[in-house]
Amino acid sequence: MTILCVRFQLPGRNETALPGLLGLLEEFTPVIEALPPDGALADLRGAERYFGRDAVALASVIRVRSLARHGVDCLAGAGPGPMLARMALRDARPGVTCAVPGDPEGIAEFLAGKPVTALPGVGTATARTLCEYGLDTLGRVAAAPPATLQRLVGAKAGRELHEKANGVDRGRVVPNAVSRSLATERPFDRDELDPARHRRALLCAAEELGARLRAVDKVCRTLTLTVRYADISATTRSRALPEPTAHSAALTRAAYGMYEALGLQRARVRAITLRAEGLAPAEQASHQLTFDPADDKARRLEEVADRARAKFGPRAVMPGTLAA
C-alpha cells in the first residue's frame, strides 16, 4: 500500500484551512495532490521506506498531528493506487484506516461485492445499463468478457470499466495539480423552511464563487448545487453553463434555476453548497458579445467591486439583499 487518500473533517467544510493541513502531509512526502475542498492524495512510497512504517501506521500519525495542531479529525484510505485509495476512504471510520491489500487476490476480494456505482467514473446511466444485464456488482463486471462491456457502454468506456473492475489502477498522484473545482457551503443555524432565505444563501454563495474565480483568473464550465436536508439526505443537481464564466450574475442565475427546478415545498434545509467545476484559464475562455448595455455595465461594476473588496475587505461591496 503506497497511496493514502485523506479527507479532513473541516468545520463547515472551510476550504481556507486546507493549505495548512497539506503542509502537515508534506512532512511525510512531497508528492501530494490536493482534492478541494477537504481532501488530498499522498504518495507514501518513499515515506514507508524512510520511516519504516506502512501507510496505515503513517495515517495514524497524520491523524494525531492533525488533531493536536489543528483540532481537525480526518478519515484515511490506503491502497496500491489513487483509485483504490479513494474507494477505501469510503469505508474508513474515524481512527480506523481502511486499507486495500496490494496483492491481486486481496484487490479482487475488496472489489467483488461492491456495487458498480462505487467505481469512479460510473454514473447513473451507465449503472442502469449494466444492472439491466445483471452486472450489478464489480465482481460480475470483472468476470464479464471485455467485448460484452464494450457493446454495452462503448469501446473505450468498456475497456476502462473492465480494467478498473479488475483492480487495474493506472492513476498517479500529480503534485501541485491545478484545482478542477471550487466550492462554498452556506449552513443554516437551524433547519430552514423559508425559500427566501434559501435564495439569499444561494446569492451569497454565487457571489463568493464568482469573486474567488476572478481572483485566480479562472472560469467554470459547470455549476453543481447540493442541498442537504434535516434528515441528512441530500439532493445534487449540475448544470452546464451556456459559456465558461466567472460572472457572479450568471452563476446566480444558474443557481436559482437549479433550485427552482427542485420544486422544494417547505423542505427543512440544513445547508446549501455550490461548486464550480471544469475550471479553465480565463484568457482561454470565449465570451459571446451582446448589444445589451446593461450587461457591459454589470461587468464593469463587478471589476470595480472586486478592486474595492481587495482593498477594504470582502464585505466592502455586496448586493443589497445580503447587506440587509
Side-chain angles (χ1 to χ4, degrees):
M1 294 167 294
T2 57
I3 307 299
L4 190 70
C5 186
V6 182
R7 178 181 297 147
F8 298 100
Q9 297 180 322
L10 301 177
R13 294 172 67 85
N14 182 10
E15 199 168 329
T16 59
L18 185 59
L21 294 164
L22 294 179
L24 187 154
L25 293 176
E26 288 175 351
E27 298 176 7
F28 297 87
T29 174
V31 188
I32 298 170
E33 179 179 349
L35 302 175
D38 56 4
L41 284 170
D43 190 332
L44 298 181
R45 283 177 292 186
E48 289 178 322
R49 292 191 297 269
Y50 182 83
F51 292 101
R53 300 184 179 186
D54 63 10
V56 174
L58 292 174
S60 299
V61 177
I62 291 170
R63 178 172 183 262
V64 170
R65 293 188 182 183
S66 177
L67 284 167
R69 298 180 186 177
H70 302 276
V72 175
D73 202 352
C74 64
L75 301 174
M83 180 193 75
L84 293 169
R86 287 173 185 250
M87 296 180 69
L89 178 65
R90 300 175 186 175
D91 296 336
R93 304 190 306 276
V96 180
T97 300
C98 179
V100 181
D103 59 287
E105 294 77 12
I107 294 174
E109 183 179 354
F110 172 78
L111 294 174
K114 293 189 176 298
V116 291
T117 51
L119 200 65
V122 177
T124 304
T126 301
R128 186 184 305 114
T129 301
L130 294 172
C131 290
E132 288 176 353
Y133 289 86
L135 303 175
D136 55 346
T137 66
L138 293 181
R140 293 176 177 174
V141 173
T148 300
L149 298 177
Q150 290 177 327
R151 283 196 298 271
L152 293 178
V153 300
K156 181 180 179 181
R159 182 171 61 253
E160 293 178 351
L161 179 62
H162 186 265
E163 289 184 348
K164 290 180 178 180
N166 280 279
V168 178
D169 193 348
R170 301 187 185 278
R172 61 190 183 92
V173 180
V174 183
N176 302 319
V178 177
S179 175
R180 293 185 293 271
S181 67
L182 287 176
T184 183
E185 184 177 59
R186 289 297 179 271
F188 295 104
D189 294 332
R190 58 170 182 258
D191 299 334
E192 186 57 65
L193 292 168
D194 188 358
R197 292 184 178 272
H198 299 167
R199 291 175 65 88
R200 190 152 49 241
L202 285 170
L203 174 61
C204 182
E207 286 285 329
E208 180 188 329
L209 273 185
R212 289 170 60 188
L213 286 168
R214 294 191 295 274
V216 295
D217 293 323
K218 299 285 186 181
V219 293
C220 70
R221 297 184 176 89
T222 305
L223 194 65
T224 298
L225 168 67
T226 301
V227 180
R228 284 199 290 114
Y229 306 106
D231 60 357
I232 316 182
S233 64
T235 301
T236 299
R237 294 290 184 272
S238 294
R239 176 168 294 184
L241 301 174
E243 63 181 20
T245 186
H247 187 30
S248 294
L251 297 176
T252 302
R253 286 194 296 270
Y256 283 170
M258 287 187 289
Y259 173 79
E260 297 296 338
L262 293 178
L264 302 181
Q265 297 181 357
R266 294 191 60 79
R268 296 166 57 201
V269 176
R270 182 159 296 179
I272 289 176
T273 302
L274 272 185
R275 177 176 291 276
E277 299 179 313
L279 303 192
E283 64 269 15
Q284 298 179 7
S286 60
H287 169 56
Q288 178 63 50
L289 298 178
T290 68
F291 294 101
D292 183 4
D295 181 70
D296 293 336
K297 181 179 179 180
R299 292 178 184 271
R300 290 197 300 270
L301 288 173
E302 195 171 65
E303 294 177 3
V304 175
D306 286 342
R307 291 198 292 269
R309 283 190 285 260
K311 185 174 183 179
F312 300 107
R315 297 183 62 82
V317 180
M318 65 178 65
T321 303
L322 300 181

